[in-house]
């Protein structure tokens, strides 16, 4: 099975900050990676798929990059509505593993 | 508008069974793969399994933690996917989400999620 390691697991930031979250895969997964945002008590929402393709309707301050084993999700200027948990998921092989998550909180 | 509505959650004793349903609307259900994903209280997301579409013979995949105990099925005439859960354990306690999976670059990506249904396994 492929393992995904997200870092950091917790992040404290201010509105307007540039935020970067990393997801490392235990083996190469090309660009078969998605990123989700989950707000407290709500279902996850797809932000990015294929490592860097922005889902329709997602603000352009979100971006994704990477291939192989290292991936990043960047929020260029953190907004109040971005305080949430973020998860990566590999879609290359079964089981379709998720990373452990990164919680972004207000500093 | 794409909508996914899960139902069937509740309290069940260890060793018991439960069947979850996910009713879909707003898209041509038969053409899509569907997944189940769960989240234990205060924990991260865990992929449970996948149902492929008719074109791919309705085949399924499962996580090792549920393989042999859980079964995913679907009824395209009812635009619904199901998760039959048997031999339930306390560690199956979670919110269960269904997802619609859209095809892009030969891979299916979960793009819409339901609101989830809570399953509690406890004596």
């Amino acid at each position: 099975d492929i393992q995904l390691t997200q870092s950091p697991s917790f992040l404290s930031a201010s509105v307007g900050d540039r935020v970067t979250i990393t997801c490392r895969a235990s083996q190469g997964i090309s660009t078969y990676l998605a990123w989700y945002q989950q707000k407290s008590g709500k279902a996850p929402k797809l932000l990015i798929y294929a490592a860097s393709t922005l889902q329709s309707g997602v603000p352009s301050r979100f971006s994704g990059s990477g291939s192989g084993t290292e991936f990043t999700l960047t929020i260029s200027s953190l907004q109040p509505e971005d305080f949430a948990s973020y998860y990566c998921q590999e879609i290359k092989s079964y089981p379709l593993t998720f990373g452990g998550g990164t919680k972004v909180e207000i500093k | 508008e794409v909508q996914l509505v899960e139902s069937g959650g509740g309290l069940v004793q260890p060793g018991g069974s439960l069947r979850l349903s996910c009713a879909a609307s707003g898209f041509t259900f038969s053409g899509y793969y569907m997944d189940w994903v769960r989240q234990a209280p205060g924990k991260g997301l865990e992929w449970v399994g996948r149902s492929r579409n008719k074109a791919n013979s309705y085949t399924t995949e499962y996580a090792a933690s549920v393989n042999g105990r859980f079964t995913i099925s679907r009824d395209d005439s009812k635009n619904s996917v199901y998760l039959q859960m048997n031999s339930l354990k306390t560690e199956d306690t979670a919110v269960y989400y269904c997802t619609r999976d859209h095809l892009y670059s030969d891979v299916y990506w979960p793009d819409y999620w339901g609101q989830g249904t809570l399953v509690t396994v406890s004596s």
Side-chain angles (χ1 to χ4, degrees):
Chain A
D1 297 1
I2 295 171
Q3 276 76 51
L4 296 180
T5 303
Q6 276 185 247
S7 60
S9 55
F10 177 86
L11 188 160
S12 181
S14 301
V15 172
D17 283 354
R18 182 181 182 88
V19 167
T20 299
I21 298 168
T22 298
C23 179
R24 288 188 173 88
S26 59
Q27 58 186 270
I29 59 171
S30 184
T31 56
Y32 296 113
L33 190 96
W35 289 97
Y36 303 91
Q37 176 193 65
Q38 186 180 32
K39 296 182 179 178
S40 182
K42 301 294 187 181
K45 170 188 172 184
L46 177 65
L47 296 176
I48 287 168
Y49 60 97
S52 61
T53 302
L54 200 65
Q55 171 69 343
S56 176
V58 173
S60 59
R61 63 181 179 273
F62 290 93
S63 65
S65 65
S67 68
T69 61
E70 187 149 339
F71 302 85
T72 59
L73 171 70
T74 300
I75 309 172
S76 60
S77 177
L78 199 65
Q79 297 302 300
E81 59 268 30
D82 301 336
F83 291 95
S85 293
Y86 294 84
Y87 295 90
C88 57
Q89 183 190 23
E90 65 87 7
I91 312 287
K92 185 179 188 298
S93 64
Y94 299 103
L96 305 181
T97 316
F98 287 92
T102 296
K103 187 172 185 179
V104 178
E105 292 201 345
I106 302 173
K107 182 183 284 185
Chain B
E1 179 194 4
V2 173
Q3 285 198 326
L4 300 170
V5 179
E6 300 94 338
S7 60
L11 175 63
V12 61
Q13 292 188 337
S17 298
L18 209 56
R19 188 197 197 206
L20 306 183
S21 301
C22 171
S25 60
F27 63 99
T28 305
F29 179 79
S30 60
Y32 286 82
Y33 287 19
M34 302 291 292
D35 285 2
W36 286 95
V37 175
R38 67 184 181 182
Q39 187 169 37
K43 302 298 184 182
L45 301 170
E46 181 187 13
W47 178 81
V48 172
R50 167 167 283 183
S51 167
R52 296 184 179 89
N53 54 17
K54 181 179 181 180
N56 289 279
S57 305
Y58 298 126
T59 53
T60 53
E61 302 285 347
Y62 298 96
S65 58
V66 306
N67 197 26
R69 299 188 299 123
F70 290 11
T71 302
I72 299 173
S73 61
R74 60 193 289 164
D75 185 338
D76 288 354
S77 69
K78 296 183 178 179
N79 290 343
S80 293
V81 62
Y82 307 98
L83 181 64
Q84 177 67 45
M85 304 184 295
N86 298 331
S87 303
L88 282 160
K89 306 175 182 180
T90 55
E91 52 263 41
D92 296 318
T93 294
V95 174
Y96 285 74
Y97 298 99
C98 68
T99 78
R100 183 191 85 159
D101 305 333
H102 91 280
L103 178 62
Y104 174 81
S105 190
D106 293 328
V107 173
Y108 284 83
W109 305 85
D111 64 345
Y112 282 91
W113 295 58
Q115 86 290 347
T117 187
L118 176 62
V119 172
T120 303
V121 184
S122 175
S123 55

